[in-house]
Amino acid sequence: MNYSRPLSIPSGGWSQNLSSLKPKSIVHRLTHFVRWALIENWQRSWVLLLWFLAMACLFSWKFKQYKHKAAFQVMGYCLTTAKGAAETLKLNMALILLPVCRNMLTVLRSTRARFFIPFDDNINFHKTIAFAIAVGIILHVGNHMICDFPRLVNSSPEKFALIASDFHDKKPTYKELVGGVEGVTGISMLILMAFAFTLASKLFRKNQLKLPSPFNRLTGFNAFWFSHHLFGLVYILLIIHGSFLFLVHKWTHKTTWMYISVPILIYAAERSLRSGRSEHYSAKIIKVSNLPGDVFSIIMSKPNGFKYRSGQYLFLQCPSISPFEWHPFSVTSSPGDDYLSVHIRTVGDWTKELKEVLTDDNGSACTIGRAKFRKLGEVNSKGLPKLLLDGPYGAPAQDYRNYDVLLLVGLGIGATPFISILRDLLNNNRTLEDQTDSNTETSISGDSLLSLASSKMASTTEKKKSRRAKSANFYWVTREPGSFEWFKGVMNEVAEMDHKGQIEMHNYLTSVYEEGDARSTLITMVQALTHAKHGVDILSGTRV
């Protein structure tokens, strides 16, 4: 069943009087928030609550531990606060690596853990931990530099005698405290992390801050990417810093390495796997098409052993453009296809440069710059640059087979994962039809009963192994009429092959005039007449 929404139907009235739905009193607002947290976001709530409790317990435990030490008589609550914050820093420096271990999360996404842990919020949790680290640094470094170091330096001989053995019976100066191993490593980590955190902010990462040359190199994805790798040095300094602590002498009490060793090993294995797999998954470009709306599609050969599910995404790297940049894109082909396809919208420097390298204005392979790529040895026989793949990685849309009825809503280029799902559903329908035809032919042959029983058993087993959605409703909302060219072939193919009406497609174009406008009325009339006569929509050029 194919359906196009009349262009003149207004949507402005739908949003009227929504303000009356908001709770007025404080009690109602609090009740609404509790309901939102417990019912709609219970997964996020319990993870965050557990994380807060862990930090609170560690802070309180270390706070009380140092409150009963002799050093408390000299440095007071400045010391206990700094040490409590340091304990939360150890935990968060260990946890912050786990949300970016994509391969581990992809594996866990296929287990029952997905019912309790919101894996889709891994980057948000990563940013939340980073904010907690920033707060911990302020408490830890601030209390050391401003409070307990001055109190130690200016302490009376009687009080200093309580902890003199920790400093070899010699009262240190402020310069000695800051210039020692603990001070140098701590200040170095502070500088590196402040630099990395700043360049990771939205203003710098998305190039929203315009700086004069040469400071403009500090903005954009490259600056964010390279600065984030400074954390490798930060972890080395953290281990050294945790091995030369004041007031702690037994190695069993120096627990920094205990916190971060396992996450570092997991992250190192993750990066090693990604690096080795990307070299193995080198894709050959089959076709490049230039599409309206600053979009281009790439059809690549599927590397051996590359298995994925519809709805998942992969990372692409073009070594000729940048040997370090990896960018994620949803796969628009289905697992049953013998090729890989992605649709890319040019929204940044890297995607714009990739489009210039791969396509010209006519949508064919570009010849500009091929001599440069040949010198680098990064081209195939057609003169196109080599592309490296990394993935696939899990995404929310990959669980579509767990549901009988699918509601797929895509906005603009955000519809790419759903195109893969539609392709997969279409391929499944073809497979079922082929199996039905095969079963019919087999039943006519001599051994009809035995063959038909065997084919039915095989079909039943396959259905148990792979659940298939019974129906799907695809809503695509786009702003530009030219956007319909992106997936025109898929839509026409679904319209022709879906004889049972299992897939409904709905196109919405938002850049139209309001109801009552003569232009909108005229377009609607022509649209209805053309679709009724020829079965083709005048705006999208498809049967939808």
Side-chain angles (χ1 to χ4, degrees):
M1 176 180 177
N2 300 323
Y3 171 75
S4 284
R5 175 178 180 265
L7 296 179
S8 60
I9 292 180
S11 59
W14 298 349
S15 60
Q16 295 178 358
N17 299 325
L18 289 180
S19 59
S20 61
L21 300 178
K22 297 181 179 179
K24 301 295 184 181
S25 65
I26 298 179
V27 177
H28 288 169
R29 290 182 181 180
L30 183 61
T31 305
H32 180 75
F33 174 79
V34 172
R35 187 189 310 165
W36 170 82
L38 296 181
I39 299 178
E40 299 181 14
N41 295 275
W42 66 270
Q43 291 178 320
R44 299 183 181 94
S45 299
W46 85 262
V47 171
L48 290 176
L49 180 61
L50 180 64
W51 176 56
F52 276 120
L53 288 176
M55 288 193 298
C57 291
L58 289 174
F59 185 92
S60 302
W61 169 64
K62 190 60 65 171
F63 188 95
K64 292 181 178 179
Q65 186 182 79
Y66 272 84
K67 189 176 181 180
H68 294 91
K69 288 191 174 184
F72 178 75
Q73 304 298 325
V74 181
M75 291 175 274
Y77 287 102
C78 301
L79 176 65
T80 55
T81 304
K83 291 299 183 180
E87 206 67 18
T88 63
L89 280 173
K90 297 175 188 178
L91 173 67
N92 289 326
M93 288 297 289
L95 290 180
I96 199 170
L97 294 174
L98 300 181
V100 291
C101 293
R102 299 188 185 94
N103 288 287
M104 181 185 68
L105 296 182
T106 301
V107 174
L108 292 176
R109 191 185 287 271
S110 301
T111 65
R112 295 185 181 274
R114 70 179 184 274
F115 297 116
F116 308 100
I117 302 176
F119 293 114
D120 302 329
D121 290 331
N122 60 317
I123 298 301
N124 291 331
F125 190 46
H126 179 77
K127 295 177 181 178
T128 304
I129 296 174
F131 178 77
I133 289 175
V135 174
I137 290 174
I138 293 174
L139 291 176
H140 180 70
V141 178
N143 277 281
H144 273 324
M145 302 289 290
I146 300 175
C147 189
D148 60 15
F149 281 3
R151 294 189 64 172
L152 173 62
V153 172
N154 298 320
S155 62
S156 63
E158 294 79 10
K159 285 190 175 182
F160 179 74
L162 298 174
I163 56 173
S165 59
D166 295 316
F167 296 92
H168 306 288
D169 297 323
K170 179 185 177 182
K171 181 187 292 187
T173 63
Y174 192 87
K175 184 178 180 180
E176 290 174 346
L177 291 174
V178 176
V181 176
E182 302 90 336
V184 171
T185 54
I187 294 174
S188 300
M189 284 191 293
L190 176 63
I191 295 173
L192 292 175
M193 295 174 76
F195 185 71
F197 281 4
T198 302
L199 298 188
S201 62
K202 187 177 181 180
L203 289 176
F204 284 86
R205 188 181 73 256
K206 294 193 174 182
N207 207 11
Q208 296 178 354
L209 188 64
K210 303 300 180 182
L211 297 177
S213 181
F215 299 104
N216 58 342
R217 294 182 177 272
L218 296 176
T219 61
F221 183 85
N222 278 340
F224 156 74
W225 176 258
F226 288 115
S227 64
H228 242 55
H229 282 74
L230 292 175
F231 277 96
L233 181 58
V234 168
Y235 278 97
I236 295 175
L237 293 174
L238 180 61
I239 294 175
I240 298 174
H241 184 79
S243 302
F244 291 88
L245 295 177
F246 296 119
L247 310 175
V248 179
H249 306 287
K250 294 182 179 180
W251 70 271
T252 54
H253 295 168
K254 300 177 181 180
T255 58
T256 302
W257 65 273
M258 299 180 187
Y259 279 92
I260 66 175
S261 57
V262 173
I264 286 179
L265 290 176
I266 294 176
Y267 185 75
E270 168 89 9
R271 293 301 296 266
S272 300
L273 175 62
R274 288 162 58 180
S275 177
R277 186 171 55 188
S278 64
E279 292 295 334
H280 177 69
Y281 289 158
S282 178
K284 295 180 181 180
I285 300 176
I286 300 175
K287 181 181 178 181
V288 180
S289 300
N290 201 1
L291 302 172
D294 292 329
V295 174
F296 64 100
S297 66
I298 304 176
I299 297 179
M300 304 165 284
S301 61
K302 185 188 296 186
N304 293 330
F306 189 88
K307 297 180 180 179
Y308 64 96
R309 299 181 184 178
S310 293
Q312 292 185 333
Y313 67 97
L314 53 78
F315 279 81
L316 286 181
Q317 184 200 76
C318 183
S320 302
I321 297 176
S322 175
F324 302 104
E325 284 193 59
W326 290 89
H327 292 266
F329 301 100
S330 296
V331 183
T332 53
S333 57
S334 75
D337 296 331
D338 57 356
Y339 61 88
L340 284 174
S341 67
V342 293
H343 286 66
I344 301 174
R345 187 163 195 169
T346 54
V347 293
D349 297 338
W350 188 87
T351 52
K352 289 179 181 178
E353 191 169 354
L354 182 64
K355 183 179 180 180
E356 292 175 358
V357 168
L358 296 179
T359 66
D360 57 20
D361 295 335
N362 298 323
S364 58
C366 185
T367 58
I368 300 175
R370 288 186 183 175
K372 177 183 70 173
F373 291 124
R374 284 198 178 95
K375 291 179 181 179
L376 295 174
E378 298 291 350
V379 298
N380 57 18
S381 58
K382 296 181 180 181
L384 296 174
K386 182 174 68 174
L387 290 181
L388 300 181
L389 304 181
D390 180 30
Y393 292 108
Q398 76 175 47
D399 297 328
Y400 69 97
R401 289 193 175 184
N402 296 331
Y403 304 94
D404 296 330
V405 180
L406 302 180
L407 177 61
L408 311 175
V409 182
L411 307 179
I413 197 64
T416 48
F418 304 138
I419 297 301
S420 178
I421 294 176
L422 292 179
R423 289 183 186 272
D424 192 36
L425 294 176
L426 190 62
N427 290 340
N428 290 337
N429 290 340
R430 287 175 177 171
T431 303
L432 288 176
E433 290 178 1
D434 294 341
Q435 288 178 353
T436 303
D437 295 340
S438 177
N439 292 341
T440 304
E441 294 175 359
T442 305
S443 63
I444 301 175
S445 63
D447 300 328
S448 59
L449 293 177
L450 180 61
S451 300
L452 184 59
S454 301
S455 61
K456 284 185 176 181
M457 290 176 62
S459 178
T460 304
T461 304
E462 186 176 354
K463 287 182 180 180
K464 288 181 178 180
K465 291 182 179 178
S466 177
R467 295 180 59 186
R468 294 186 175 94
K470 296 179 180 179
S471 62
N473 297 270
F474 175 48
Y475 291 81
W476 188 22
V477 184
T478 185
R479 184 182 302 170
E480 304 164 352
S483 303
F484 294 116
E485 291 288 335
W486 300 348
F487 313 117
K488 181 178 179 180
V490 178
M491 291 186 174
N492 285 331
E493 194 174 5
V494 171
E496 294 173 3
M497 297 297 298
D498 185 32
H499 304 298
K500 298 180 180 179
Q502 292 178 323
I503 302 175
E504 290 190 7
M505 293 180 292
H506 308 254
N507 290 340
Y508 287 79
L509 184 65
T510 59
S511 57
V512 295
Y513 303 103
E514 295 180 358
E515 184 184 24
D517 191 283
R519 293 165 293 185
S520 178
T521 304
L522 179 61
I523 291 175
T524 305
M525 292 174 58
V526 176
Q527 181 190 36
L529 291 173
T530 306
H531 195 277
K533 185 176 181 180
H534 302 288
V536 177
D537 181 60
I538 60 173
L539 291 177
S540 64
T542 67
R543 295 178 59 185
V544 182

